[in-house]
Structure formats: structure tokens, C-alpha cells
Amino acid sequence: GLVGSRYRMLGWFPVPNGCRMAGFAWLVPGTKWLLAVDRFRVVWFPVPEPNFRYGLIAAFEQMGKDGKVMKFLVLNGPNLNLLGVREPEVYGTTTLADIEGMVHAYADELGVKVYCVQSNHEGVLIDEVQHARLEYDGIVFNPAAFTHYSYALRDAVAAIEPIPVVEVHLSDISTREAFRRTSVIEPVCIAQVKGRGPQGYLDAIDILVKHLGRPAVPGTE
């Protein structure tokens, strides 16, 4: 059987990131294979023996991916808290609260969860991006003015790969002032949505769901 001299039992571990399962795991001595078992499935997972605990977590995360509700971070950068009063001829009269309400309503329709954060501070945005690799399946990101020059944010997005990020802009930045036409963040995102107004945030959620390649509502096609 599994619990014998051929296998080393590692113990009972809860699955991280909100997955509703837990299980046992055994390391096959002298090999680089981990056997992870929960009440539904058995997974063989390759992992160097010294790092078996990290392998165990990764194995259980993979086992739970298909069954958990997707979670997206909607991240907004500087001055977007002033939407509705800031240059309405460019950005419209819809407030950030209105956009977040639209996003939450659309997420409910799809059966996904969204968490909205806005900050005027580069370091806060970097912290949110870094933390997202542990909490979220994807990010909808409007970096605002940081789009054009923040290599620190660009590096943060690149560092959390393979977590997908979609860059969003309310206006079409390619038709605006010369300095706004370049995005240093777009190359490390899976897509850029621009010039769609508030609808662009909903488009970005659609892109993330399609990119992740699994139903938004667990158990549906």
C-alpha cells in the first residue's frame, strides 16, 4: 500500500488560496516524484526532494484550480479617484465608484469575484501587483500616468508571470498627446484595452476568463 516503506508520508495539509480540499502526500524516496492524494483525485507531481513542501503546495493548488471561483484584482492608478470631475471631455462623467459598481455587477453575472483597489502611489500599486500572485487569478490594471514611464510597475507585472494582466485605458491613448502613446507596461500584459470607456473594464474581465480557459461559473460550459 501507499503507507509503507516504499513511500514517506508527509502529512495532512490544507490547500492554499481558498481551495476547498485537503489531502495526504507521499514522497517516493530516491526519486523526484511527489504523490498527492485528496478525497477526489491522485496527482503525481515532479519535485526535487529537498523542496517537497513547495511541491506539495503546488500540487494541491493545481488540483484545486478547476474547482475554485476565479478571483480578479481590478487595480487603478493615480488620479482615477477623480473620475467624473477630471477632464470630463476626455474621461467622461462616470465616477470610479460607478465603474467599480459595473465591474462587481458584471462579475456576479459571470460567477467570478473581483476586488477593486485604487492608489495614487507607485509603491502601493507595486505591492498590490506582487501580492496578487498569491491571491488572484488575474489583474485588470489601469496604471494611468504610470503607464508611460514606470519601469518599476512594468517589472512587477513581469515578475508575477504567469498571472495574466490586462492593461486598460478609458481613452484611446494612441490618439492623444505624444507622451501618452507609449506604454512601458503593455509588453508584459496579455492584452491592452483602450478607448472603450468604462466598458473596457468589462472587456478586460472577458479577456481574462477566456485566457484562463475554464468556465467562469464552476461546473458550467
Side-chain angles (χ1 to χ4, degrees):
L2 294 176
V3 187
S5 59
R6 293 178 57 201
Y7 299 95
R8 183 194 312 165
M9 183 173 169
L10 302 181
W12 180 267
F13 289 82
V15 178
N17 290 346
C19 304
R20 299 186 302 275
M21 59 182 70
F24 288 95
W26 293 264
L27 184 71
V28 183
T31 75
K32 293 184 178 180
W33 288 96
L34 181 78
L35 176 63
V37 183
D38 77 344
R39 56 182 175 151
F40 303 113
R41 282 164 288 183
V42 175
V43 174
W44 287 98
F45 192 83
V47 57
E49 185 165 345
N51 297 321
F52 66 83
R53 291 185 183 277
Y54 298 105
L56 175 65
I57 291 173
F60 279 143
E61 284 183 330
Q62 185 62 43
M63 291 163 72
K65 258 184 198 266
D66 292 335
K68 71 172 184 173
V69 175
M70 286 186 285
K71 296 196 302 183
F72 299 142
L73 173 64
V74 179
L75 190 58
N76 282 291
N79 298 311
L80 291 171
N81 56 308
L82 296 180
L83 286 176
V85 296
R86 174 196 175 202
E87 298 180 74
E89 69 279 6
V90 175
Y91 300 106
T93 57
T94 304
T95 67
L96 182 59
D98 293 335
I99 292 174
E100 291 179 347
M102 292 172 55
V103 166
H104 280 289
Y106 190 60
D108 288 343
E109 291 180 17
L110 294 181
V112 303
K113 292 183 179 180
V114 292
Y115 299 83
C116 299
V117 177
Q118 187 275 331
S119 178
N120 295 320
H121 305 286
E122 185 179 34
V124 173
L125 297 171
I126 291 170
D127 288 344
E128 291 290 341
V129 170
Q130 291 182 359
H131 180 68
R133 78 188 194 281
L134 303 174
E135 293 292 332
Y136 302 104
D137 296 289
I139 303 176
V140 175
F141 189 17
N142 185 341
F146 288 134
T147 300
H148 317 296
Y149 66 91
S150 178
Y151 292 102
L153 275 169
R154 182 263 179 216
D155 288 348
V157 171
I160 65 168
E161 189 183 6
I163 302 298
V165 179
V166 178
E167 182 182 311
V168 175
H169 298 285
L170 293 164
S171 63
D172 184 352
I173 60 174
S174 66
T175 63
R176 298 187 62 193
E177 303 97 321
F179 77 90
R180 296 188 192 272
R181 297 174 187 171
T182 298
S183 170
V184 300
I185 298 173
E186 181 187 8
V188 291
C189 296
I190 64 166
Q192 183 190 73
V193 180
K194 59 190 177 184
R196 295 273 290 159
Q199 176 63 36
Y201 287 84
L202 311 188
D203 295 343
I205 292 174
D206 286 337
I207 291 169
L208 288 175
V209 170
K210 182 177 180 180
H211 175 80
L212 290 167
R214 61 187 192 271
V217 181
T220 65
E221 295 298 335

